[in-house]
Amino acid sequence: MGLISMGSGAPPVGLDIGTDHVRAAVLKSSSAAPTLAAYARGDMPMGAVVDGEIVDPAAVASAIRELWRQPGINGRDVVTGVSNQKVVVRLIDLPFMEREELQGAIQYQAQDYIPIPIEDAIIDFQIIGDYMTPGDEHMMEVLLVAAQRDTVEATVAAVEGAGLRLASIDVTSFAIVRSTLGSGLNVFSEDEESPGEAVAVVHIGSGLTNIAVVERGVPRFTRVSSLSGNQFTQAVGNVLNLTFDDAERLKIRAGLPEIGSQAHAETATEDSDARMVREAQDALEREVNKFIAEVRRSLDYYLTQTAQARTIRRIHLTGSSAQLAHLGTYLEKGLQAEVVMSDPLRFIQVASSARVPVEEDRMGAAPAIGLALGGVI
Ligand SMILES: Nc1ncnc2c1ncn2[C@@H]1O[C@H](COP(=O)(O)OP(=O)(O)OP(=O)(O)O)[C@@H](O)[C@H]1O
Ligand SMILES: [Mg+2]
């Protein structure tokens, strides 16, 4: 699925443009699993990407150009993702029609489902399947995606500013699901849920968290939240009055206190470093509890909207911020679901040239790899 798709020869490079980092994944198709031939991550200047929107296309373009100097990153065609609170993903039911007919009608059909004027949106859809109602009406299920035209135009500007060509735009959540659960929209072999169950994928970055729910092989719900790594850092900085960089280092060092540990009890012998760590952990625990409530609201919303799934059995956790110590255990307890650390290398092979850079960024690599996967399958 691509909001814009122009078709091309070589599979496009997966380009993930984030708040803190920009990443590129080069995949080659092969007879066995697709092979990651090159992978790189570079820094994004602060303020260039805010809430998933490119606000400074020139700064993003130069970060991308920098990335293209890294070994093996050399394709001209790229596929990027859109991910922000204004991207709409809705599963809708429509009277059955052929694909071509829907292509013409979608503009009119979509307006009922998206909160932005149709002329300001770029719309795409995928037909998931068709069915008969008890009253013998022929219906179909359609996954509708809409992004703000401005968002897409800023992405085009950044990519073209870097001397590259935008081959297609995907929804970042779909890319994350693809690299986490399997390579196609409809292929989730090992996670094949039994009826009544769904799985969630939660990717926690720096400025955004992407939540997706997959049921019967299809991502049926996505939500983007701004509760993520930067907020955790900010909370630590605020309680201890630290600079952002100091708070960032302390956050990573402290992590969350082990559940049930005595880590937060203040003791008479506590030195100043132990006190800082304890206060950071307390702040993180409060922030993570808010985060859990946010994820729970999203999952509950999904479960009340769908007639089929009654539970979310398993949560796949990814993203650099998922490395916060003990986060998985907190989520497991707070959401009453099994939490597994997801591995974006699970469904691909890795060439020796890509091994080191991707291993160093294993939790952050899911979007870039998933975007590239969309181009080779
Ligand atoms: N070991 C760790 N423990 C906790 N947090 C970590 C750890 N390593 C990195 N992080 C956090 O991960 C975040 C950066 O994530 P990432 O690089 O994936 O974001 P991004 O892709 O640039 O942003 P986004 O996708 O949200 O726009 C930072 O908040 C950083 O503090
Ligand atoms: Mg990211």
Side-chain angles (χ1 to χ4, degrees):
M1 174 147 197
L3 281 168
I4 293 180
S5 198
M6 289 152 174
S8 66
V13 178
L15 173 64
D16 173 29
I17 301 170
T19 311
D20 282 6
H21 295 108
V22 57
R23 297 166 164 101
V26 180
L27 274 188
K28 302 262 185 282
S29 33
S30 80
S31 52
T35 302
L36 187 69
Y39 182 86
R41 179 181 72 169
D43 288 334
M44 181 61 73
M46 204 181 253
V49 177
V50 178
D51 295 330
E53 299 273 5
I54 295 174
V55 292
D56 186 346
V60 173
S62 71
I64 297 172
R65 228 178 283 123
E66 218 30 68
L67 194 65
W68 252 247
R69 297 209 174 91
Q70 297 203 31
I73 310 295
N74 47 23
R76 284 287 134 218
D77 285 349
V78 300
V79 48
T80 67
V82 281
S83 172
N84 62 60
Q85 291 176 345
K86 292 186 239 149
V87 175
V88 178
V89 176
R90 293 284 304 267
L91 201 61
I92 60 176
D93 294 283
L94 295 174
F96 180 82
M97 61 186 101
E98 295 300 332
R99 205 196 135 74
E100 296 68 40
E101 196 185 339
L102 182 58
Q103 190 86 51
I106 194 75
Q107 297 286 331
Y108 308 101
Q109 300 283 359
Q111 186 64 85
D112 293 344
Y113 300 96
I114 63 171
I116 44 178
I118 219 80
E119 56 276 16
D120 297 340
I122 290 184
I123 292 170
D124 191 25
F125 67 88
Q126 173 148 341
I127 297 172
I128 302 295
D130 64 314
Y131 61 93
M132 299 304 287
T133 66
D136 239 19
E137 274 176 285
H138 195 184
M139 301 289 289
M140 64 182 179
E141 233 184 350
V142 175
L143 194 60
L144 176 72
V145 179
Q148 218 111 21
R149 195 171 287 279
D150 292 356
T151 304
V152 173
E153 281 170 1
T155 306
V156 173
V159 166
E160 290 183 350
L164 305 174
R165 201 181 78 96
L166 192 60
S168 68
I169 295 191
D170 199 346
V171 176
T172 308
S173 298
F174 294 170
I176 295 165
V177 165
R178 197 177 291 132
S179 54
T180 305
L181 298 184
S183 50
L185 263 177
N186 296 303
V187 191
F188 306 122
S189 47
E190 209 173 289
D191 262 280
E192 204 49 72
E193 322 86 30
S194 42
E197 284 179 339
V199 296
V201 179
V202 176
H203 178 94
I204 319 170
S206 159
L208 302 173
T209 291
N210 274 283
I211 301 166
V213 181
V214 177
E215 189 185 331
R216 284 167 285 137
V218 177
R220 287 162 192 273
F221 169 86
T222 69
R223 180 165 290 170
V224 174
S225 164
S226 58
L227 272 183
S228 57
N230 273 350
Q231 298 263 341
F232 300 163
T233 302
Q234 208 74 57
V236 171
N238 289 348
V239 287
L240 289 161
N241 210 4
L242 300 175
T243 64
F244 191 83
D245 288 349
D246 286 345
E248 175 84 11
R249 275 189 291 274
L250 180 58
K251 171 185 85 172
I252 291 174
R253 182 159 67 94
L256 288 159
E258 223 171 302
I259 290 184
S261 74
Q262 293 308 306
H264 359 348
E266 190 171 351
T267 63
T269 55
E270 191 177 55
D271 64 21
S272 68
D273 185 64
R275 185 184 57 79
M276 278 203 0
V277 168
R278 177 176 52 76
E279 287 186 14
Q281 289 185 333
D282 286 347
L284 286 169
E285 194 169 7
R286 281 193 296 274
E287 224 44 41
V288 163
N289 284 334
K290 284 189 223 160
F291 176 82
I292 289 170
E294 173 107 338
V295 176
R296 188 185 309 114
R297 266 194 302 277
S298 290
L299 302 186
D300 285 350
Y301 173 82
Y302 174 74
L303 290 172
T304 58
Q305 294 293 305
T306 164
Q308 302 223 0
R310 286 177 308 278
T311 56
I312 308 276
R313 180 170 55 105
R314 178 181 294 164
I315 296 169
H316 293 261
L317 195 56
T318 106
S320 303
S321 289
Q323 298 171 98
L324 190 72
H326 302 125
L327 181 63
T329 326
Y330 276 72
L331 287 177
E332 201 147 71
K333 189 157 176 268
L335 298 167
Q336 297 289 304
E338 182 193 357
V339 172
V340 291
M341 285 294 181
S342 223
D343 181 7
L345 306 182
R346 191 170 141 202
F347 296 102
I348 58 171
Q349 304 182 63
V350 180
S352 58
S353 50
R355 180 68 57 195
V356 171
V358 80
E359 292 284 1
E360 281 173 359
D361 188 30
R362 200 157 178 146
M363 292 309 283
I369 290 175
L371 288 166
L373 269 172
V376 297
I377 53 172

